[in-house]
Amino acid sequence: MNLHVEYFKKKLGELPDEKLWEIIEELLLPYPNEFNKKSMSRDEVLELAVMLKASNELFRNLEQVALLKHELDQASYKIK
């Protein structure tokens, strides 16, 4: 997780506050008027749940790859 945090801190740190707020709002509320629990159909709720679950799993897999790569890099360094 630290690898991602440092990368994003460096990249996003160069942006003005206005752009940072745009990114935050986009990530938190990609469709601000779309997620009304009472008006969403069962299919829409299911689609949203599947997309969020798949995104979460993808993130977990990418995080695992980053950790393994970091460990491999450290092991290679120790061998040299």
Side-chain angles (χ1 to χ4, degrees):
M1 182 85 156
N2 261 351
L3 300 172
H4 297 297
V5 170
E6 293 303 318
Y7 171 79
F8 285 120
K9 187 181 280 189
K10 181 180 178 186
K11 289 294 182 185
L12 296 177
E14 300 168 359
L15 300 176
D17 288 352
E18 297 82 27
K19 184 63 179 169
L20 290 175
W21 277 113
E22 285 177 23
I23 292 169
I24 290 167
E25 289 171 354
E26 179 183 318
L27 292 172
L28 290 177
L29 303 169
Y31 308 101
N33 299 323
E34 297 289 323
F35 300 127
N36 182 341
K37 290 181 184 179
K38 294 181 181 182
S39 68
M40 290 177 72
S41 71
R42 167 86 174 135
D43 288 339
E44 291 171 327
V45 173
L46 177 60
E47 182 179 354
L48 178 59
V50 168
M51 287 175 28
L52 291 172
K53 195 69 172 165
S55 296
N56 186 51
E57 190 63 28
L58 177 62
F59 175 77
R60 291 168 147 244
N61 289 339
L62 290 173
E63 186 62 32
Q64 188 65 29
V65 167
L67 289 172
L68 291 171
K69 183 183 179 307
H70 180 69
E71 291 294 322
L72 183 60
D73 289 345
Q74 283 187 335
S76 314
Y77 180 74
K78 288 179 183 178
I79 291 173
K80 292 179 182 181

